[in-house]
Amino acid sequence: MIITIVGGGSTFTAGIVKSIALRREELEVTEIRLFDIDKERQDKVAVLVDWILHEDLKCDIKLVATTDEETAYKDASFVFAQMRVGKYAMREQDEKISLRHGCVGQETCGCGGMAYGMRTIFPMVKVIDDAEKYAKPDYWILNYSNPASIVAEACRVLRPNARIINICDMPIAIIDVVAAAMNIKDKKQIVYDYFGLNHFGWFTSIQYQGKDMMPALRQYIKEHQILLPDAYLKDKAALGVAPQKESGTEGNRHTRGSWYYVWKGEYEIMENFPEMLPNTYLNYYLQQKEFVEHSDPNHTRANEVMETREKNLFDGIDKYLATGEIDEKVFYAGSHGDWIADLAIALKNDTKARFLVITENRGCLPNMPYDAMVEVPAYIGKDGPEVITQKPIPLFQQGLMMQQLNCEKLLVQGCIEGSYEKVLQAFTLNKTVPSMKVAKEVLDDMIVANKGYWPELH
Ligand code: G6P
Ligand code: MN
């Protein structure tokens, strides 16, 4: 059984491989292939992956690192996609150009997310076409590549029959934090209900061993004025004042650096709307002005990541090559890799385990369009997700979702048709953008910055 990882040079590859290797019996995996267009970067990551597989875990899984599509996809059963088109350098542009115009500067939300989407749509379609051509006929692509909402919509429109499931680790990362705050040791016993679009949704219930955790969680957030477990807040004095410093990659990576503000935002949002637990990404849409105010337009999340996760990884690999010593803290392993590997187990072994997936609505959320790509719980078996039908969404959340959904649909249409007007409508419709004039200014700067990545708009 072959698993191909697309975006082999990613800072997340090592963690994903570790999660796969730890599940090698259930997955019956015999070979892992790394595929990337950046050979030099991937070859470095492959050194670490080789160490994980053959030194650390001593398994006999074959490892191949390649830049050739046929070698990468031939007879693969699973393709785990996690490409970052334009790498962190373009994420930095996305964030900084938006902020320069007074808009939220974020990887997947607002103007930055739309720019990233325009770069990723066609490379993602190529992954599907390569898998169709070379992989096993019953292949599954499990896709983490962002912005997952826009990518999912584009794949639905352009390759409706592709065997692809788009996923995100943020809800599960939120559940990790909730479990730590609530002192729950066995996360697997937590069952939750959730609805939304990707990076745009709400938990409607969280249960542990059949007990409703929402009342205790609400109280915790109110008392702490943040949704972070005490143990993660090393410097309590920093509470409410400054973002946490990143130190190594130990602990929960979503609680480091400027992530601090979104956990604070969970408190701020729930002070007004306490019924549901919002996805952390809703901060960018509900507190757009405040986000811009506490952002540093010269030093964004992309810089934090380059200075910490990316640097630690490649420095660690260089050190290993020079001294033979490895510090496992140089790479992130945990929920992100576990989630995708567990999903593959559910598909392969037809377990009907419950996962959140991004999938075509088809009536599951009754007051959202039939063809909306929504993020909802589903039981996963060999033929894919069996989605759990839900109640109608309240007006506030439905209104927000419709605005975001139509924005993403317009962006995808504009990208496919090469229509400047539709892309400008998408930028204008996004809730993080204050006016049509600002939308146009950001878009025009994005066109220049994305030359060679975006389709021509006319
Ligand atoms: C979460 C989201 C991902 C996103 C990541 C960014 O895991 O689900 O979609 O890419 O956060 O994290 P970073 O540490 O790169 O800011
Ligand atoms: Mn995500």
Side-chain angles (χ1 to χ4, degrees), residues 12 84 88 91 107-108 146 168-170 199 253-254 259 281 301 305 309:
F12 293 112
R84 181 178 290 282
Y88 288 120
R91 175 175 177 178
E107 174 198 19
T108 65
N146 266 325
C168 171
D169 71 331
M170 194 67 234
H199 289 188
R253 70 183 177 86
H254 288 104
W259 273 98
Y281 281 94
R301 178 68 194 157
V305 172
R309 187 167 70 236

